[in-house]
Amino acid sequence: MVTGIIQDLKKAVAGIEASEVSYEQNGYHAAVVTQKGSLVSVAEFFNGRVFYLADLCCVDYVDYLELVYFFNHHKTLCRIKVTLKVEPEKPTAPTISHIYNIAHWYEREIHEFFGVYFEGHPNLTYLFLHEGIEYYPLRKKPTPVPEDAKKLLNSFNPEGEEDTFFVNLGPQHPSTHGVLRVVVKMDGEYILSAEPVLGYLHRMHEKMAENRSYLQFLPNPARIDYPGALLLNLAHVTTIEKLCGIEVPERAQYIRTITCELNRIASHLLWFGAFPADLGALTPFLYAFDDREQILDILENITGSRLTYCYFRFGGLYNDIDDTFIEMTKKFVKRMRERFKIYDELVTGNVIFVNRAKGTGILEQDQVHKYGCSGPIIRSTGMPFDIRKTEPYAVYDQVDFEIPTGTVGDNMDRYNVRMAEMEMSLRIVEQAIAKLPSGPFKAEKVPKKLKPPKGDIYHAVESSRGETGVYIVSDESDTPYRMRWRVPSYSNLMTFPALARGTLIADAIATLGSYDIVVPEIDR
Amino acid sequence: METQGPIIRFAVLDKVLDLARANSLWPVTFGLACCAIEMMCTSMARFDLARFGAEVFRPSPRQADLMMVTGTVTRKMAPSLVTLYEQMPSPKWVIAVGNCAISGGPFVFKGQYNIVEGVDKLIPVDVYVPGCPPRPEGLLEGLMKLEEKITGTRRFPKAEEKW
Amino acid sequence: MAFTSGLMPGVLCRLVSLMGIQRASASRVPACGCGGSDGFAGGGGDASPFDRETAMTETINSIANVIGWETIRTVVGLVGVLVVVVVNALVLTWAERKVSAHMQRRIGPKEVGPFGLLQPIADTVKLLAKELLTPQNVEKPLYYLAPVIVFIPVLVSFVVIPFDARLQVKDINVGLLVILAFSSLSVFSILIAGLGSNNKFSLIGSVRSIAQNIAYEIPLLLSLLSVVFMANSLSLRDIVEAQKGVWYVFSQPIAFLVFFIASVAETNRTPFDLPEAESELVAGFHTEYSGMRFALFFLAEYTNVFIVCAMTTTFFLGGYQGPILPGIVWFFVKTYLLVFVILWFRWTFPRVRFDQLLNFSWKLLIPVSFLNLIVTGGLLKL
Amino acid sequence: MSMTNPVSIIKGAVSLIIGLGVTIKAFFRPVVTCQYPREVLPISPRFRGHTKLVGDEENPDRTRCIVCGMCERSCPSGAIHKVEGEKREGEKKKVATSYILDFSTCSQCGICVEICPTSALAFSADYNIVGYSRDDCCFDLVKEYEKRKAT
């Protein structure tokens, strides 16, 4: 497929440099270099082929800034890196936000952090940062924010007209799951527009990565997405293993799979509790936490923490599992299967719940590539997109599981998909435990100071919310030159304004609840 | 001349009030980051914050007595957090839960541009519960420590120390 | 906000005149100077529970002669009602927390007093001593008045409820109307709380509350009408007495269901708790209230729960009737069982959406109760 | 749910009753609460509290720490300060006299424990630390070791 696409691209856009690269080494299939003039037509080309914009980031090479676009296809794996060089002084680039909706936010983000001005972008205002920022944070050389740019960034001033009014949901609001702020313009109970404001929990992970060694970054991924900490821990570790070519023993891979799936169940359980709580039923929350505590007990026994795990190491694990772990896991799998019945009786079948969830917050399948959605949200629309299947890591290619999908993409489908996913995770755990080989749990001869070869790599895992990708640019030192996190909640949340428009506020809150967003993950 | 006792014993009243306040700490529903999950865990069936009468999470700060700052406070969040604190009617208390709230935790580094290094730079903090995140027991212990601070005595037995 | 200030005097007049009923109802002879209450004052007064208290000590007698008996009765009645209200609210807060805890498999309040029984007292004392914040830019008269008014309809409703065959503050021959009139008044305080708070969440909450109240008042009334048809009276005592043989819950099951559902909605409890929907509207109409003002709303809510359950008991479950045990015990057992059911609902169900809430009333409850009324009327005629 | 279709109304009502059944069953089942200050959950031996210094087996007067500073350098958040020691007579290696752990910036990642060449660091099971000030979250691990040794 890749060769064909490249040929077509060369035909469609004149004067473009495109070449295939080693997927094994870089994690993407082809690299395309564009100019300012041809970028929009390249984006249009990919949009025509139903590619989604997986990520858009910027790397500061001091002499020039490089915008990196990752396009991928939901049905067949074909990840293409498109780069565009822009000058470091007063950098400008054409916007593609009219083609890909998600580019709206990505471009705003780059404008804030690097100062790249996107021509034609409708709303280049602050998305993440506070107003007191003096320097562009992610530039390698200190670059002050010019005064006129500050005015531009500050221009988000919601003002009501007659008969409408603005409501701030958040940053402290019971249903925003942390500190998301959604500025909602309302007409009575109906929402005219909803505009998320991010950045209330921006913790500078990407900046931190540039300041510390690969090893020292280990505790951070768990804080990016805390309900699914192990999954992000795995994303970080596997990317660097791939970058440095470290072989991981099979036992470690199996244990990683088991613990990750347990963590996924814990994360989904947290969501299962929070979603009915958004609809007004609190008791399922407590039942879900009851089960979650069982998983935490199991994981605490081997990792030592309850929430922010830092368990995986480059080339293996922090420590090996023991028999109690296997015993407890088996017991848990059995218990969990029983509990699903209770959940069905209490929530899934409940007529009030069904009425609230069915037919609300419908996400159309032909829209998802514009937003780059992933995870249960995209699967609820009927698209069987799962990184565990398309790009198997750990031992997902050695266990048998299916991808549960929905049909319409409403809140009920998202609910059903997640419930089915929990059962699927139980199946994976069972199989992996049955197949668990003996052997070392850690690769030998992993240097304490990692110095990966020069180059870049994109690697993605399926976290409990969707495609979590890590893009690393290495310059042969022991700290990454640039580490970029592509997080699923970010692109999933981007669909919210479209889904909330014209609905009742109660439905919008149900939709927001069904997304399972984690704010620190969005803000990073 | 022998001094007569006061007609109204404010000291006794104060004691009663302190006891009532210490045993009815309603937290505001306010979670920031990772530690918020542990705060939820604390109010769930396993640890049950309700035993101490502190499970009444009030979404409106006007009705709350206790603010648990559970997570990193960013500079963007800081004004909202201060507003929230000011909206609470006194007497009010603050527990800084987790390392981020205490000192910025692991997110402090040279050149950081976005976090407040400790919530006590913004609002007065009564009890500090370190950990990343602290276990729910730690949070309960923090609540008891706050009760101790309000009433002056510890009502509950000390859990056995572990090393 | 101009129209509400214009509304105020009229409403106050109405309130004052209704207070008159209350005073008159506690007295045996028509109270003097209570204009507008003549219609209600003539009801049978021999049931006054305070008759026995007339035989108290000399001192009381002499004081009474000076002040007048009806004043004393009024005061004693009011104090009695207040005590019931406060104790009931304390018990219910405790019960709610305990019931919810056990449904969620935890303990609930435990460390404050035996079984956590002192917990509500600690809460009350704390709330009493809490700072009373008045936010900026509130409509002060409305803001201050709302928590006070929320209480009046609740108190008046107690007057006509027969706790026992002989224990009733006043048996009025249109007792049912009094209760219904006052229960619809409680929404008024919610409205002015929302209007006066200068908070959008409060406003949405109060507007929701109005629509909900209007929608559910109708099935409430319609279902009660069939009971009235059967009992042939509007007096609560007569209705209870008419259930000597068969409780109306058996002869009027549909009316019972409709009435109970509608009264859950009237009290803004889950699954109909839209005016204070936490996940949507923060705390709904009382978002801006702190300290004792908030506590008054809380108190009124729990008292409302008690009253609707007491009404259901009176109208459908035979009121104070039951074997062996004294009537008052039966009355409270039945009422608190219903309260338990309401708590049980709260901790099981999610919240309905606003349009579903209205649809449910207009499209289902009202037609059903109307049909029920027609069928009842037809059967009785036969 | 259609409001006019009696079948769906009855089905809906049944689903509500089933839901009520779940909660009432739970109402009569035993609670799962661990009453913390009165009961304590078992703490896993791998639990990661703050770090502690491990005593030397041959000479319990000293810890295994040889003041190499590896942990101080590798700590991602700079939580370890003032790792100082002195040369004592009859000892080949340095003996730690001060080791300040600022627990309030620690993220319990375990890198210091892993990297220590003499395995002098381990996680303590101290799970319920609270304090009235920031300083209560700073520990001198050497002093703490001595206190622990005494008891």
Side-chain angles (χ1 to χ4, degrees):
Chain A
M1 172 157 180
V2 185
T3 329
I5 290 280
I6 288 177
Q7 276 167 5
D8 289 354
L9 181 64
K10 276 181 177 164
K11 253 182 249 164
V13 188
I16 205 141
E17 288 172 52
S19 56
E20 275 187 62
V21 295
S22 154
Y23 171 73
E24 299 304 317
Q25 217 171 17
N26 293 93
Y28 50 88
H29 298 88
V32 178
V33 181
T34 58
Q35 306 303 322
K36 277 182 192 171
S38 56
L39 178 74
V40 174
S41 36
V42 169
E44 266 162 3
F45 170 81
F46 282 119
N47 185 33
R49 308 257 163 153
V50 211
F51 274 65
Y52 70 99
L53 181 62
D55 196 11
L56 165 52
C57 66
C58 185
V59 186
D60 182 4
Y61 287 105
V62 185
D63 297 339
Y64 59 94
L65 299 176
E66 190 176 67
L67 296 176
V68 184
Y69 299 74
F70 278 105
F71 292 97
N72 193 2
H73 200 266
H74 275 131
K75 284 188 177 135
T76 37
L77 173 68
C78 176
R79 188 174 287 125
I80 293 168
K81 183 178 103 165
V82 177
T83 52
L84 171 69
K85 278 184 192 172
V86 288
E87 64 286 348
E89 295 293 318
K90 290 205 172 172
T92 55
T95 178
I96 58 162
S97 58
H98 54 288
I99 304 167
Y100 282 102
N101 299 36
I102 184 62
H104 260 284
W105 281 6
Y106 281 138
E107 285 173 2
R108 272 169 82 179
E109 187 188 338
I110 289 171
H111 179 228
E112 272 172 77
F113 285 96
F114 292 91
V116 179
Y117 180 77
F118 286 90
E119 285 158 341
H121 190 286
N123 179 24
L124 275 181
T125 51
Y126 276 116
L127 182 67
F128 281 102
L129 294 173
H130 59 98
E131 285 149 15
I133 210 86
E134 293 294 329
Y135 294 90
Y136 287 119
L138 287 178
R139 290 289 281 263
K140 292 278 173 187
K141 269 189 190 166
T143 317
V145 183
E147 281 305 312
D148 50 335
K150 269 188 190 166
K151 265 182 218 144
L152 194 69
L153 286 166
N154 235 338
S155 61
F156 177 63
N157 296 316
E159 258 174 45
E161 297 140 33
E162 224 173 305
D163 295 338
T164 63
F165 57 97
F166 276 93
V167 170
N168 267 312
L169 298 182
Q172 182 259 344
H173 188 274
S175 71
T176 50
H177 303 271
V179 285
L180 177 70
R181 174 177 164 212
V182 187
V183 181
V184 184
K185 187 182 180 189
M186 288 177 57
D187 178 11
E189 289 255 339
Y190 284 93
I191 290 176
L192 295 180
S193 70
E195 172 84 31
V197 181
L198 312 176
Y200 285 95
L201 212 59
H202 173 60
R203 301 200 273 194
M204 313 166 288
H205 286 288
E206 286 172 13
K207 178 84 178 169
M208 275 170 100
E210 292 171 19
N211 278 317
R212 49 183 58 187
S213 69
Y214 290 100
L215 185 71
Q216 286 178 325
F217 193 69
L218 270 177
N220 280 54
R223 272 100 191 150
I224 294 179
D225 174 2
Y226 43 82
L230 274 175
L231 298 148
L232 267 81
N233 198 181
L234 184 71
H236 174 231
V237 167
T238 43
T239 313
I240 286 154
E241 278 161 3
K242 221 171 156 185
L243 187 65
C244 302
I246 301 169
E247 281 290 318
V248 185
E250 213 182 357
R251 183 178 171 81
Q253 296 281 33
Y254 270 93
I255 296 171
R256 282 179 178 183
T257 313
I258 297 168
T259 47
C260 275
E261 288 310 311
L262 285 176
N263 202 187
R264 190 188 307 276
I265 299 173
S267 169
H268 279 352
L269 275 175
L270 179 66
W271 170 84
F272 167 78
F275 184 42
D278 280 342
L279 302 180
L282 270 173
T283 303
F285 207 177
L286 282 100
Y287 290 178
F289 263 70
D290 205 5
D291 293 326
R292 201 171 158 267
E293 287 288 342
Q294 310 297 321
I295 302 179
L296 296 193
D297 277 351
I298 296 172
L299 290 180
E300 191 185 3
N301 260 333
I302 58 159
T303 65
S305 330
R306 279 168 55 89
L307 188 71
T308 47
Y309 312 107
C310 181
Y311 178 54
F312 303 142
R313 290 292 190 267
F314 306 126
L317 314 164
Y318 182 80
N319 48 19
D320 201 0
I321 58 168
D322 46 17
D323 291 340
T324 29
F325 170 79
I326 292 172
E327 219 172 276
M328 282 168 89
T329 314
K330 279 181 177 161
K331 225 164 97 191
F332 168 76
V333 171
K334 221 169 133 195
R335 175 200 154 102
M336 199 60 218
R337 295 231 160 96
E338 295 289 313
R339 298 285 287 186
F340 281 134
K341 283 173 205 149
I342 292 180
Y343 292 168
D344 281 349
E345 285 175 359
L346 188 61
V347 183
T348 321
N350 189 307
V351 65
I352 302 175
F353 174 79
V354 173
N355 277 329
R356 287 293 305 274
K358 222 173 201 146
T360 54
I362 296 173
L363 183 65
E364 306 279 344
Q365 201 189 13
D366 54 354
Q367 287 294 311
V368 287
H369 75 279
K370 293 211 181 246
Y371 295 99
C373 304
S374 54
I377 300 205
I378 196 170
R379 292 195 278 276
S380 73
T381 65
M383 180 93 79
F385 174 68
D386 193 325
I387 305 275
R388 287 176 293 175
K389 281 275 187 207
T390 55
E391 294 172 87
Y393 52 93
V395 288
Y396 285 109
D397 47 351
Q398 288 164 46
V399 288
D400 171 48
F401 68 101
E402 288 150 28
I403 306 171
T405 52
T407 45
V408 236
D410 58 358
N411 290 340
M412 196 66 199
D413 269 349
R414 289 195 270 276
Y415 173 87
N416 286 332
V417 163
R418 283 209 181 83
M419 295 309 271
E421 247 173 56
M422 276 199 258
E423 289 192 62
M424 216 45 81
S425 293
L426 289 180
R427 233 168 88 184
I428 297 173
V429 168
E430 254 182 347
Q431 290 177 47
I433 280 192
K435 284 186 184 172
L436 185 69
S438 54
F441 66 90
K442 204 170 180 180
E444 284 166 28
K445 286 182 199 161
V446 177
K448 284 205 167 151
K449 222 170 199 177
L450 284 173
K451 284 192 175 166
K454 209 170 168 132
D456 62 347
I457 185 169
Y458 181 94
H459 179 74
V461 303
E462 181 77 20
S463 83
S464 44
R465 270 153 279 279
E467 178 185 349
T468 303
V470 189
Y471 176 61
I472 295 178
V473 179
S474 157
D475 62 346
E476 273 184 298
S477 69
D478 65 339
T479 55
Y481 188 76
R482 170 99 168 94
M483 187 189 278
R484 159 80 185 168
W485 283 81
R486 183 255 186 244
V487 282
S489 293
Y490 187 79
S491 37
N492 290 346
L493 181 67
M494 182 71 209
T495 58
F496 178 68
L499 260 57
R501 200 170 299 132
T503 60
L504 286 165
I505 185 157
D507 279 343
I509 276 162
T511 310
L512 195 63
S514 77
Y515 277 0
D516 190 18
I517 50 162
V518 173
V519 181
E521 187 194 40
I522 299 171
D523 291 349
R524 281 159 286 143
Chain B
M1 199 180 102
E2 211 176 317
T3 46
Q4 282 187 327
I7 301 165
I8 307 166
R9 285 171 190 272
F10 282 109
V12 177
L13 187 71
D14 265 355
K15 260 199 181 133
V16 171
L17 275 182
D18 285 344
L19 256 177
R21 281 167 181 162
N23 286 303
S24 158
L25 291 165
W26 293 1
V28 54
T29 319
F30 177 52
L32 280 166
C34 327
C35 297
I37 306 282
E38 287 301 78
M39 179 175 77
M40 286 184 214
C41 279
T42 316
S43 64
M44 294 296 153
R46 175 65 95 56
F47 298 99
D48 197 13
L49 207 52
R51 287 178 292 131
F52 309 97
E55 93 280 29
V56 194
F57 279 90
R58 296 307 310 169
S60 165
R62 302 253 185 239
Q63 295 143 15
D65 316 294
L66 169 66
M67 181 152 143
M68 295 195 203
V69 184
T70 50
T72 326
V73 184
T74 59
R75 289 193 199 163
K76 193 168 182 175
M77 191 64 206
S80 316
L81 186 122
V82 174
T83 314
L84 208 58
Y85 178 75
E86 281 167 356
Q87 279 175 339
M88 286 162 61
S90 56
K92 51 193 166 184
W93 293 274
V94 177
I95 299 183
V97 181
N99 291 345
C100 293
I102 295 173
S103 70
F107 299 102
V108 180
F109 62 94
K110 221 178 147 218
Q112 67 93 354
Y113 55 87
N114 207 43
I115 63 162
V116 177
E117 293 178 12
V119 72
D120 49 7
K121 297 199 167 165
L122 299 171
I123 54 176
V125 174
D126 294 284
V127 173
Y128 295 76
V129 185
C132 193
R135 274 184 69 95
E137 284 102 332
L139 230 157
L140 288 175
E141 193 70 38
L143 199 78
M144 280 175 249
K145 195 99 177 166
L146 183 59
E147 289 197 26
E148 198 182 326
K149 186 170 182 171
I150 297 169
T151 58
T153 48
R154 189 185 166 98
R155 219 154 60 81
F156 302 99
K158 268 220 155 71
E160 134 197 38
E161 271 189 69
K162 290 186 179 176
W163 289 94
Chain C
M1 306 276 161
F3 75 95
T4 34
S5 356
L7 207 75
M8 285 309 301
V11 170
L12 274 178
C13 280
R14 202 173 151 208
L15 277 175
V16 168
S17 69
L18 287 169
M19 287 297 284
I21 304 172
Q22 194 190 355
R23 276 186 61 199
S25 64
S27 63
R28 184 175 265 193
V29 280
C32 39
C34 283
S37 66
D38 27 53
F40 302 122
D46 51 337
S48 173
F50 306 111
D51 277 5
R52 270 166 281 170
E53 276 150 22
T54 51
M56 278 198 167
T57 53
E58 288 280 321
T59 348
I60 295 181
N61 256 328
S62 53
I63 297 168
N65 284 334
V66 180
I67 307 168
W69 278 112
E70 53 267 36
T71 324
I72 288 189
R73 273 193 212 106
T74 316
V75 170
V76 171
L78 260 178
V79 168
V81 165
L82 266 176
V83 168
V84 172
V85 165
V86 171
V87 170
N88 168 66
L90 292 181
V91 170
L92 277 194
T93 42
W94 179 83
E96 170 131 76
R97 289 162 84 169
K98 260 323 207 198
V99 165
S100 70
H102 280 278
M103 282 187 175
Q104 296 158 346
R105 304 193 63 191
R106 50 196 181 92
I107 299 177
K110 171 180 178 289
E111 301 287 355
V112 189
F115 304 104
L117 276 169
L118 293 181
Q119 186 66 59
I121 294 172
D123 287 342
T124 319
V125 172
K126 178 206 77 178
L127 282 170
L128 269 171
K130 205 94 179 133
E131 182 190 2
L132 277 179
L133 278 179
T134 306
Q136 266 184 347
N137 298 332
V138 294
E139 196 82 0
K140 278 200 177 128
L142 299 182
Y143 181 79
Y144 290 145
L145 215 56
V148 183
I149 310 187
V150 75
F151 226 59
I152 291 163
V154 166
L155 285 183
V156 177
S157 303
F158 265 97
V159 171
V160 288
I161 291 174
F163 292 96
D164 198 350
R166 285 175 54 80
L167 191 61
Q168 186 182 17
V169 179
K170 181 74 185 171
D171 186 31
I172 304 169
N173 56 9
V174 286
L176 193 144
L177 282 187
V178 171
I179 281 198
L180 286 179
F182 276 97
S183 70
S184 18
L185 247 187
S186 68
V187 74
F188 179 70
S189 70
I190 294 181
L191 171 69
I192 62 173
L195 279 179
S197 281
N198 186 30
N199 181 314
K200 288 159 188 168
F201 291 122
S202 306
L203 190 66
I204 302 177
S206 62
V207 170
R208 278 181 176 190
S209 165
I210 300 282
Q212 180 172 339
N213 235 276
I214 290 169
Y216 280 85
E217 201 92 319
I218 299 166
L220 198 79
L221 226 133
L222 285 175
S223 57
L224 276 189
L225 270 185
S226 49
V227 168
V228 173
F229 277 14
M230 289 185 74
N232 251 327
S233 168
L234 287 174
S235 148
L236 299 196
R237 177 100 61 80
D238 292 352
I239 292 174
V240 173
E241 289 300 327
Q243 297 178 62
K244 265 233 156 79
V246 185
W247 292 356
Y248 286 152
V249 64
F250 300 116
S251 52
Q252 287 285 352
I254 295 172
F256 168 73
L257 275 178
V258 171
F259 180 80
F260 194 58
I261 292 170
S263 46
V264 172
E266 284 273 288
T267 47
N268 302 336
R269 301 282 298 183
T270 322
F272 308 109
D273 60 340
L274 287 120
E276 43 199 304
E278 184 179 311
S279 58
E280 294 158 30
L281 303 182
V282 186
F285 61 88
H286 55 62
T287 304
E288 292 289 353
Y289 284 92
S290 61
M292 211 49 213
R293 295 195 190 119
F294 161 68
L296 282 178
F297 278 116
F298 226 67
L299 201 63
E301 181 183 327
Y302 282 114
T303 317
N304 262 328
V305 170
F306 178 82
I307 282 176
V308 294
C309 290
M311 277 160 75
T312 321
T313 309
T314 310
F315 294 135
F316 293 98
L317 297 181
Y320 47 77
Q321 295 183 10
I324 308 165
L325 293 170
I328 188 155
V329 176
W330 275 114
F331 180 83
F332 277 104
V333 165
K334 291 172 189 170
T335 308
Y336 278 109
L337 264 178
L338 285 173
V339 170
F340 176 78
V341 172
I342 290 187
L343 298 185
W344 187 9
F345 281 175
R346 162 125 188 228
W347 297 104
T348 308
F349 296 144
R351 184 183 309 122
V352 298
R353 203 171 56 211
F354 191 62
D355 56 326
Q356 290 166 349
L357 172 98
L358 295 184
N359 276 344
F360 185 59
S361 173
W362 292 107
K363 289 192 181 164
L364 186 68
L365 289 187
I366 291 176
V368 162
S369 51
F370 205 68
L371 264 179
N372 186 49
L373 183 65
I374 293 170
V375 171
T376 312
L379 283 180
L380 282 178
K381 218 52 206 161
L382 289 172
Chain D
M1 184 181 81
S2 141
M3 295 289 171
T4 43
N5 181 358
V7 178
S8 73
I9 289 168
I10 288 165
K11 267 189 187 161
V14 168
S15 80
L16 294 183
I17 290 164
I18 289 172
L20 286 172
V22 173
T23 39
I24 199 74
K25 258 186 243 156
F27 186 76
F28 292 110
R29 290 184 66 192
V31 295
V32 293
T33 308
C34 157
Q35 302 189 34
Y36 161 63
R38 303 179 198 282
E39 294 165 28
V40 180
L41 283 175
I43 297 290
S44 150
R46 280 176 181 166
F47 173 71
R48 295 185 185 175
H50 60 83
T51 49
K52 64 180 178 186
L53 286 171
V54 181
D56 197 24
E57 274 133 36
E58 287 159 18
N59 180 7
D61 279 345
R62 59 163 294 176
T63 59
R64 285 196 205 164
C65 179
I66 53 165
V67 203
C68 64
M70 282 283 268
C71 46
E72 197 175 350
R73 280 195 299 278
S74 70
C75 180
S77 38
I80 302 164
H81 310 287
K82 283 199 191 153
V83 184
E84 283 161 11
E86 58 183 21
K87 210 74 168 135
R88 277 192 200 155
E89 268 186 42
E91 302 259 358
K92 276 182 198 160
K93 284 166 178 161
K94 272 191 178 173
V95 179
T97 51
S98 117
Y99 188 112
I100 309 277
L101 171 72
D102 183 2
F103 188 48
S104 76
T105 57
C106 173
S107 56
Q108 298 162 349
C109 59
I111 291 174
C112 52
V113 177
E114 245 184 343
I115 214 154
C116 182
T118 56
S119 308
L121 285 170
F123 286 115
S124 75
D126 198 357
Y127 61 94
N128 53 1
I129 322 156
V130 287
Y132 284 139
S133 79
R134 269 193 203 201
D135 303 333
D136 292 354
C137 316
C138 276
F139 312 105
D140 188 336
L141 295 188
V142 177
K143 279 197 189 124
E144 197 212 43
Y145 172 74
E146 268 149 25
K147 209 174 99 195
R148 184 152 43 105
K149 202 179 61 189
T151 48

